[in-house]
Amino acid sequence: MIVVMERNATDEQIAHMIGRVEELGLKAHVIRGAERTVIAAVGIKRESMKESLASGPGVAEVVPIVAPYKVASREVKPDPTRVVAGSLSVGAGMVGVIAGPCSVESEEQIMRTARAVKAAGATALRGGAFKPRTSPYSFQGMKEKGLELLAAARAETGLAVVTEVMSTDDVELVAKYADVLQVGARNMQNYRLLEAVGKVPNPVLLKRGASATMEELLLAAEYILNEGNPNVMLCERGIRTFESHTRFTLPLATVPYLHQKTHLPIVIDPSHGTGHTPLVADMALAAIAAGADGLIVEVHPEPEKAMSDGYQSLDFGQFEKMMDRCRRVAAAVDKSLG
Ligand code: PEP
Ligand code: MN
């Protein structure tokens, strides 16, 4: 249910209603909008709760939330959410660009990449230290050493660090080094991990599972929001289809669809979404034209030598060209890159 407060409701009245919602055994999520404050009351509902809340001081009305996801829904918060993590701003008119290698491989590789993507206008650095690999015999990432290198790259360039956390056991460690925690496609429905990242202060980049529906993605986000972390970015990274010309199929209708359903910002990953370097830049442009709030793009000093995903990585020159074109598309849709 949404407890909609009167326009002139006082702070005391709002605090009182938060207390009432909690007394009823529900969780209260307060959303202060430009117009008025609403309190999303989520949990297991019982008869008479609605009437009981509706009679509270300063309450304009109590309305049900129709969508199965509650805090993520536009019904609760009509204004778009902007997620900010250090140098990275995503949403509500700002298009953030997260760029860097699939995996952190060495000090030289991550430092060179951080400098190059920053010079080209990226606003955050990506790089996996814990890598989810299909084969146990593939490179699994540099783990804590990789996190240290990412932190060093941030210290020099000022770029916020986005990196994946694969297990609840590692949340504390990764949260200590990273600005944004990435939950990968393979873990989108790892509910204990979603709850764990919901309990830390770091914003979260939640990637869509390769066969997850939009509703499953939004309910996964709801797990994080429900723990009290409001800073969730949704990421479309492509889904499994019968097609074989691309690694995954990148459905860009996701962007306007999600914008209708949720206030959370949407980031597009044209690297995993296509799996082919020559297709990445054009899909990045298309994503911005479709209204995306951010991009996450794989960039490597020598893609040919990458330890993972080189075939979908851009080199520095290709990234710089992509950024010049993206800047123009962003301006055409009244947004700014950076
Ligand atoms: C990645 O970003 O390198 C990654 C593993 O992505 P996904 O979880 O989308 O496969
Ligand atoms: Mn990758």
Side-chain angles (χ1 to χ4, degrees):
M1 288 172 290
I2 311 172
V3 180
V4 183
M5 301 301 292
E6 304 271 12
R7 270 170 222 282
N8 56 2
T10 63
D11 286 348
E12 289 71 39
Q13 289 172 328
I14 294 167
H16 176 84
M17 289 314 297
I18 294 169
R20 286 289 298 129
V21 167
E22 287 168 353
E23 271 167 34
L24 293 171
L26 302 173
K27 225 174 214 170
H29 297 268
V30 183
I31 295 118
R32 290 176 199 275
E35 294 277 304
R36 50 170 101 217
T37 296
V38 305
I39 303 165
V42 299
I44 299 165
K45 270 183 287 172
R46 284 191 313 276
E47 280 299 310
S48 82
M49 278 180 174
K50 183 169 183 271
E51 288 69 28
S52 158
L53 291 171
S55 59
V59 174
E61 58 175 339
V62 177
V63 290
I65 307 169
V66 179
Y69 36 89
K70 308 294 177 192
V71 191
S73 169
R74 276 261 176 195
E75 294 170 59
V76 166
K77 183 172 182 282
D79 305 328
T81 292
R82 176 178 295 167
V83 174
V84 178
S87 59
L88 179 69
S89 289
V90 174
M94 297 292 284
V95 180
V97 181
I98 305 160
C102 179
S103 306
V104 180
E105 298 168 4
S106 68
E107 181 172 359
E108 197 212 337
Q109 175 241 22
I110 198 69
M111 287 300 183
R112 280 182 64 198
T113 309
R115 287 180 203 125
V117 298
K118 161 114 188 192
T123 48
L125 176 67
R126 63 151 288 149
F130 291 88
K131 293 304 302 177
R133 304 304 303 279
T134 301
S135 165
Y137 309 118
S138 300
F139 175 57
Q140 302 289 313
M142 291 180 77
K143 317 236 161 82
E144 189 163 2
K145 180 70 194 155
L147 297 174
E148 286 170 11
L149 295 178
L150 286 165
R154 171 179 52 213
E156 189 191 303
T157 60
L159 289 176
V161 164
V162 181
T163 195
E164 178 160 355
V165 57
M166 285 173 56
S167 155
T168 49
D169 297 343
D170 302 325
V171 170
E172 208 185 319
L173 175 74
V174 180
K176 202 169 75 180
Y177 289 96
D179 298 282
V180 174
L181 300 177
Q182 176 175 326
V183 173
R186 291 156 191 80
N187 267 318
M188 190 206 84
Q189 286 179 310
N190 180 340
Y191 300 115
R192 298 296 84 81
L193 180 61
L194 299 175
E195 284 169 350
V197 300
K199 290 189 173 87
V200 296
N202 313 52
V204 176
L205 180 74
L206 174 64
K207 298 188 98 179
R208 177 186 188 177
S211 58
T213 64
M214 288 287 96
E215 188 166 307
E216 287 165 338
L217 172 63
L218 288 163
L219 284 167
E222 190 77 11
Y223 269 89
I224 303 170
L225 299 168
N226 195 39
E227 293 300 325
N229 187 341
N231 294 309
V232 178
M233 296 171 266
L234 303 173
C235 179
E236 173 60 82
R237 44 77 76 207
I239 52 173
R240 270 274 156 83
T241 70
F242 54 82
E243 267 300 352
S244 55
H245 75 293
T246 48
R247 183 180 178 193
F248 293 95
T249 294
L250 183 61
L252 290 179
T254 301
V255 178
Y257 178 82
L258 285 173
H259 277 153
Q260 285 174 25
K261 299 291 175 189
T262 181
H263 53 87
L264 299 173
I266 325 298
V267 173
I268 293 290
D269 178 346
S271 306
H272 293 85
T274 62
H276 295 287
T277 301
L279 306 180
V280 171
D282 287 333
M283 291 310 283
L285 262 62
I288 297 175
D293 304 294
L295 297 172
I296 179 164
V297 181
E298 289 184 336
V299 179
H300 194 282
E302 291 173 282
E304 209 187 321
K305 298 192 183 153
M307 291 173 86
S308 59
D309 289 355
Y311 49 82
Q312 64 188 34
S313 300
L314 304 182
D315 64 24
F316 298 161
Q318 289 166 330
F319 180 68
E320 198 185 332
K321 280 202 190 83
M322 183 202 90
M323 287 296 283
D324 285 340
R325 296 171 68 209
C326 283
R327 224 169 268 117
R328 284 183 279 147
V329 175
V333 293
D334 299 324
K335 289 194 181 165
S336 47
L337 215 61

